[in-house]
């Protein structure tokens, strides 16, 4: 549909007004486009630019992407693609590259055939990065020439011009995030390199190189995985004992949806399934995951039946049984993804469920028919999981019958609250009996319940369900919360909508918190997704002089309060008390600093936090001693900082 011809100048004028309006809107409400103006938003700028290069690679024109973190925390992303078009767009009257960098959602405008699958978390395009950058320069090598143009906060400062010759093609974008917009300006090597590694796994065959120039010597890492998802699964299982030598892999396109899956069983007891839609991690799962799980459970049950493997037992495999020890990566590409959920990381497209179910059923059953050795290993694993689960169920039933109660009895150690409105009620999981005692005395008993936990709870990362349920502390947590676990989990049965982890600010406390988060992540992930898990923030210091007192939650606050009290005249010295544990606070102090909803701060745990915790935990508990040493060292330093 060609527009009526207009003069270039007129068109340009109209165009530049929309441009200014668009980029102004981005600067006014950056959160709408990149989620936040904190650390996450800052890093999204890089993802947004890299995603454009990934699209170029997926279109088959680029196989190398380089990212540089410069000393001034500016970023360069460079690729060897075709280069963003530099000729004047027939209807918009501006060079393509200028449109890409100044018009919102310009991405597909001049390349209608391209199937944009990545395009960042919000798919907003590089113009958003331009609007939020103090300075941006784009360099395009194309048609034998090097072209360049520059911007300040989205406004063109240097029009597109040829600055030299170019033997090859490619696009380079250099940008410096705007300090007027972002509260954090420092890029994290860890965050960026992990995301780039992930992109390299998800898009096998693209070489992605990251260089950090901020240290004394540059730090460089190169990610290149010819095998894509297969190598991803091998990487995830690198510290595990796989039950069959090679990951199972298949990919297919049906009704315009690409499905790509790799999976491998290992001898542990957890499931590690990572799902992605259009290169974006879907932490909260969604229809693709549901379809995958249904297909896996059914296919494995079919194979079990065919082999008469559960002939003597009169039960079938549950989903949990079929997924014990499973490591899997599922990547689907969908034209118009709908993201839902608390963090917009749950795929909502209904049609995807059936597509994934059909593709996985078909390919997995064929694979298992053709590879009886692998089939046998998987069946054995699932059947033994089912038998352990059945034994655990019988043991639980026995306990219930003995106690003469149909429903599980609330644990004796639980000091419950009197309200019966779960939406208002809070459960504090407290480290140690002594802090538990203070919390019981200090709490508001109408809506706050206390469950003291003694010492370390079980290593849930390396235990099977029957052992997990055999642990007294864990049983107490499960019965107090009321939802059940795994396949039996019911969010509607939650007895509290806030479960607050309260541990000491020391290495042991950090360890117990990690343990608990790992437990919730593995056994009740929906509780985290629903936003029911929190971490209490007890103060580290009490600073006082005479009757005036302050509680400091970090080092800066301690200094600030100390200075404030010292400045004041009057008699007496400033006294400083450092809380080594919750037990050192009296009930009244614990209430007003940590438990009173009017004054306390509690941190809501995200699924990301829990994933980090379980990773850390796996490393801490694994056979490799190095991570354990590093954890203790890191935390020892933390403690010594507090000791100052
Ligand atoms: C649209 C069309 C063409 C290239 C690109 C977009 C492109 C964009 C980016 C962003 C970063 N790197 C990029 N590389 C390419 C080319 C169309 C053609 O040459 O026919």
């Amino acid at each position: 549909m060609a527009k009526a011809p207009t003069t270039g100048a007129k068109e340009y004028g109209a165009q530049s007004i929309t441009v200014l309006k668009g980029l102004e809107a981005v600067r006014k409400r950056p959160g709408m486009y990149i989620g936040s103006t904190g650390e996450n938003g800052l890093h999204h700028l890089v993802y947004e630019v890299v995603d454009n290069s990934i699209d170029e690679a997926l279109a088959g024109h680029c196989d190398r992407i380089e990212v540089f973190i410069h000393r001034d925390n500016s970023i360069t992303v460079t690729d060897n693609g075709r280069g963003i078009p530099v000729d004047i767009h027939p209807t918009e009257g501006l060079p393509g590259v200028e449109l890409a960098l100044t018009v919102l959602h310009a991405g597909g405008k001049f390349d209608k055939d391209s199937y944009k699958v990545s395009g960042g978390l919000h798919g907003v395009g590089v113009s958003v990065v331009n609007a939020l950058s103090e300075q941006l320069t784009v360099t395009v090598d194309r048609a034998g020439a090097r072209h360049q143009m520059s911007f300040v906060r989205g406004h063109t400062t240097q029009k597109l011009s040829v600055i030299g010759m170019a033997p090859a093609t490619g696009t380079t974008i250099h940008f410096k995030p705007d300090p007027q917009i972002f509260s954090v300006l420092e890029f994290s090597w860890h965050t960026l390199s992990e995301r780039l590694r992930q992109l390299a796994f998800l898009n096998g065959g693209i070489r992605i190189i990251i260089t950090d120039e901020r240290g004394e010597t540059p730090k460089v890492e190169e990610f290149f995985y010819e095998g894509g998802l297969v190598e991803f699964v091998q990487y995830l299982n690198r510290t595990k004992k796989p039950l069959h030598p090679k990951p199972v892999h298949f990919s297919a396109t049906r009704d315009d949806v690409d499905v790509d899956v790799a999976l491998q069983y290992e001898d542990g007891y957890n499931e590690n399934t990572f799902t992605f839609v259009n290169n974006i991690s879907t932490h909260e799962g969604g229809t693709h995951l549901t379809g995958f799980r249904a297909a896996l459970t059914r296919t494995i049950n079919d194979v079990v039946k065919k082999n008469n493997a559960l002939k003597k037992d009169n039960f079938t495999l549950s989903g949990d049984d079929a997924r014990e020890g499973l490591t899997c990566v599922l990547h689907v590409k969908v034209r118009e993804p709908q993201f839902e959920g608390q963090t917009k990381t749950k795929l909502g497209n209904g049609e995807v469920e059936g597509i994934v179910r059909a593709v996985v059923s078909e390919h997995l059953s064929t694979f298992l028919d053709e590879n009886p050795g692998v089939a046998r290993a998987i069946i054995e694993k699932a059947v033994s999981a089912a038998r352990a689960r059945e034994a655990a169920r019988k043991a639980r039933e026995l306990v219930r019958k003995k106690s003469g109660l149909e429903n599980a009895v609330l644990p004796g150690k639980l000091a419950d609250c009197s309200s019966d409105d779960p939406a208002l009620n809070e459960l504090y999981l407290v480290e140690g009996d002594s802090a538990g005692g203070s919390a019981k005395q200090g709490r508001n008993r109408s809506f706050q319940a206390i469950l003291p936990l003694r010492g370390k709870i079980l290593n849930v990362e390396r235990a099977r369900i029957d052992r997990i349920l055999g642990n007294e502390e864990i049983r107490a947590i499960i019965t107090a919360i009321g939802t059940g676990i795994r396949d039996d989990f019911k969010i509607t049965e939650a007895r509290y909508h806030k479960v607050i982890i309260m541990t000491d600010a020391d290495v042991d406390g950090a360890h117990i918190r990690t343990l608990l988060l790992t437990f919730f992540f593995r056994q009740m992930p929906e509780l985290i997704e629903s936003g029911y898990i929190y971490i209490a923030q007890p103060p580290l210091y009490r600073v006082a002089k005479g009757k005036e007192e302050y509680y400091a939650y970090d080092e800066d606050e301690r200094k600030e309060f100390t200075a404030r009290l010292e400045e004041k005249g009057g008699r007496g010295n400033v006294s400083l008390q450092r809380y080594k544990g919750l037990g050192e606070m009296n009930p009244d102090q614990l209430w007003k600093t940590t438990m009173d909803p009017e004054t306390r701060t509690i941190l809501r745990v995200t699924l990301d936090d829990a994933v980090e915790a379980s990773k850390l935990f796996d490393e801490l508990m694994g056979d490799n001693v190095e991570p354990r040493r590093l954890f203790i060292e890191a935390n020892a330093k933390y403690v010594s900082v507090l000791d100052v």
Side-chain angles (χ1 to χ4, degrees):
M1 282 196 290
K3 270 191 192 171
T6 48
T7 69
K10 202 172 176 190
E11 183 68 21
Y12 187 87
Q15 179 63 52
S16 56
I17 290 166
T18 26
V19 165
L20 288 181
K21 278 201 179 141
L23 297 191
E24 231 168 72
V26 175
R27 288 181 63 82
K28 234 180 224 157
R29 295 169 178 268
M32 292 242 308
Y33 299 86
I34 53 162
S36 79
T37 52
E39 201 172 330
N40 282 329
L42 182 80
H43 289 80
H44 271 306
L45 299 181
V46 184
Y47 307 155
E48 201 59 60
V49 178
V50 170
D51 282 349
N52 284 282
S53 301
I54 296 271
D55 279 338
E56 183 67 358
L58 292 178
H61 304 287
C62 157
D63 63 2
R64 183 185 167 95
I65 302 170
E66 276 200 82
V67 176
F68 297 87
I69 314 171
H70 302 295
R71 297 190 85 95
D72 62 352
N73 271 295
S74 65
I75 295 281
T76 295
V77 177
T78 181
D79 69 50
N80 64 350
R82 289 167 295 177
I84 307 181
V86 289
D87 46 340
I88 305 289
H89 190 275
T91 55
E92 305 290 329
L94 282 177
V97 59
E98 185 165 352
L99 289 172
L101 281 148
T102 57
V103 183
L104 284 180
H105 300 288
K109 259 194 177 169
F110 40 91
D111 194 8
K112 288 198 189 69
D113 298 331
S114 87
Y115 173 11
K116 289 253 177 283
V117 294
S118 52
L121 179 63
H122 303 86
V124 289
V126 277
S127 61
V128 166
V129 177
N130 194 16
L132 302 177
S133 292
E134 179 182 71
Q135 210 280 326
L136 183 145
T137 297
V138 57
T139 309
V140 175
D141 286 356
R142 206 178 147 98
R146 173 159 294 180
H147 310 71
Q148 196 167 68
M149 83 177 290
S150 298
F151 307 84
V152 167
R153 303 195 165 95
H155 297 277
T156 306
T157 51
Q158 195 72 59
K159 299 222 90 190
L160 186 68
S161 64
V162 171
I163 59 164
M165 299 204 299
T169 64
T171 304
T172 299
I173 292 176
H174 171 258
F175 67 95
K176 191 162 190 297
D178 190 349
Q180 292 177 359
I181 302 281
F182 292 95
S183 59
V184 183
L185 292 163
E186 193 171 334
F187 285 101
S188 152
W189 162 266
H190 177 79
T191 304
L192 288 181
S193 59
E194 284 306 301
R195 172 62 181 158
L196 295 177
R197 183 201 303 282
Q198 194 179 67
L199 283 171
F201 276 131
L202 292 171
N203 305 281
I206 307 180
R207 194 177 300 276
I208 305 181
I209 302 155
I210 177 168
T211 304
D212 189 345
E213 298 175 342
R214 294 170 300 181
E216 245 167 65
T217 51
K219 187 159 36 167
V220 184
E221 199 151 358
E222 178 172 318
F223 306 115
F224 176 63
Y225 308 108
E226 196 82 75
L229 295 195
V230 168
E231 283 197 63
F232 200 164
V233 167
Q234 283 170 331
Y235 173 80
L236 293 168
N237 272 349
R238 68 198 180 286
T239 62
K240 314 259 165 80
K241 292 193 188 81
L243 298 180
H244 47 103
K246 271 188 63 189
V248 183
H249 174 245
F250 43 84
S251 58
T253 303
R254 188 169 299 200
D255 297 338
D256 245 10
V257 175
D258 296 345
V259 183
D260 197 7
V261 194
L263 62 91
Q264 185 180 38
Y265 284 83
E266 48 99 10
D267 81 341
Y269 305 117
N270 294 310
E271 176 196 5
N272 282 299
T273 295
F274 297 93
T275 63
F276 299 86
V277 175
N278 302 353
N279 278 320
I280 299 160
S281 174
T282 35
H283 294 277
E284 298 174 275
T287 50
H288 54 332
L289 179 60
T290 310
F292 169 77
R293 286 186 166 169
L296 187 82
T297 308
R298 196 177 63 191
T299 307
I300 293 185
N301 260 308
D302 286 350
V303 181
V304 164
K305 246 179 250 148
K306 242 190 252 168
N307 289 271
N308 276 324
L310 272 175
K311 200 170 47 181
K312 282 177 260 139
D313 318 72
N314 59 348
F315 53 87
T316 52
L317 298 178
S318 73
D320 281 337
D321 300 334
R323 297 191 295 269
E324 187 181 284
L326 173 70
T327 301
C328 173
V329 179
L330 167 64
H331 187 191
V332 299
K333 286 176 186 165
V334 181
R335 270 179 196 276
E336 280 178 25
Q338 280 139 30
F339 292 107
E340 304 171 346
Q342 281 241 326
T343 54
K344 292 271 176 280
T345 58
K346 181 176 187 172
L347 183 66
N349 302 53
E351 73 280 8
V352 175
E353 183 173 335
I355 293 172
V356 174
R357 195 181 337 111
V359 167
V360 174
S361 292
E362 240 175 73
H363 287 78
L364 187 60
S365 47
T366 307
F367 176 88
L368 293 176
D369 277 347
E370 289 169 0
N371 296 271
V374 178
R376 207 169 308 120
I378 295 176
I379 293 174
E380 241 170 58
K381 178 71 170 157
V383 164
S384 93
R387 290 193 176 131
R389 178 179 52 85
E390 192 60 15
R393 191 184 62 78
K394 282 190 180 138
R396 271 203 311 273
E397 232 162 47
L398 215 61
V399 173
R400 264 183 222 157
K401 277 186 192 139
K402 266 189 199 154
S403 62
L405 283 167
E406 205 41 50
N407 292 315
V409 200
L410 288 174
K413 297 196 300 177
L414 174 73
D416 210 357
C417 50
S418 51
S419 146
D420 52 15
D421 181 358
L424 297 180
N425 291 351
E426 303 178 346
L427 172 65
Y428 275 85
L429 301 177
V430 186
E431 173 184 359
D433 285 335
S434 111
S438 294
K440 278 181 196 175
Q441 288 176 53
R443 68 176 170 150
N444 180 333
R445 65 166 57 238
S446 75
F447 66 95
Q448 291 180 318
I450 309 295
L451 182 64
L453 300 174
R454 195 171 302 129
K456 300 262 157 84
I457 64 168
L458 177 73
N459 173 0
V460 288
E461 193 70 14
R462 297 270 162 128
R464 193 177 239 171
I465 193 67
D466 48 342
R467 265 192 67 214
I468 292 175
L469 293 176
N471 180 280
E472 198 183 321
E473 305 296 307
I474 286 187
R475 271 209 316 271
I477 296 172
I478 298 171
T479 41
I481 294 177
T483 51
I485 59 169
R486 297 197 177 197
D487 276 356
D488 299 329
F489 183 91
K490 285 193 199 69
I491 191 80
T492 49
E493 298 289 308
R495 300 181 62 251
Y496 315 90
H497 286 194
K498 286 198 177 74
V499 174
I500 303 166
I501 299 169
M502 188 158 78
T503 58
D504 293 341
D506 59 10
V507 181
D508 279 347
H511 196 189
I512 292 171
R513 188 174 59 241
T514 309
L515 264 161
L516 287 169
L517 289 178
T518 302
F519 167 74
F520 288 125
F521 170 58
R522 289 300 183 192
Q523 310 298 332
M524 313 178 169
E526 299 93 333
L527 208 60
I528 302 172
E529 276 170 52
S530 304
Y532 286 12
I533 306 280
Y534 294 84
I535 294 170
Q537 297 293 104
L540 298 177
Y541 301 100
R542 177 177 175 272
V543 192
K545 183 170 164 181
K547 276 191 180 155
E548 202 169 343
E549 62 170 14
Y550 295 102
Y551 293 93
Y553 293 81
D554 60 36
E555 212 40 42
D556 286 345
E557 281 187 351
R558 178 188 68 78
K559 286 182 188 143
E560 187 191 322
F561 296 145
T562 308
R564 195 185 299 176
L565 288 173
E566 273 168 354
E567 268 169 29
K568 292 201 172 166
R571 280 169 292 137
N573 290 322
V574 175
S575 77
L576 176 71
Q577 184 185 4
R578 180 164 95 76
Y579 295 118
K580 294 206 178 71
L582 298 162
E584 291 173 22
M585 269 181 270
N586 65 40
D588 177 54
Q589 287 174 325
L590 196 57
W591 164 254
K592 72 183 171 197
T593 61
T594 316
M595 298 177 72
D596 178 0
E598 297 287 321
T599 51
R600 75 182 175 197
T601 308
I602 52 176
L603 302 179
R604 184 182 261 176
V605 173
T606 66
L607 216 52
D608 271 342
D609 298 331
V611 170
E612 276 304 310
S614 98
K615 256 198 237 161
L616 177 66
F617 198 73
D618 203 35
E619 285 174 0
L620 291 179
M621 292 301 163
D623 305 327
N624 199 343
V625 277
E626 186 62 10
R628 191 156 45 235
R629 192 181 63 75
L630 290 174
F631 176 81
I632 292 169
E633 252 178 39
N635 281 281
K637 207 161 54 190
Y638 172 63
V639 172
S640 74
V641 167
L642 296 181
D643 273 332
V644 174

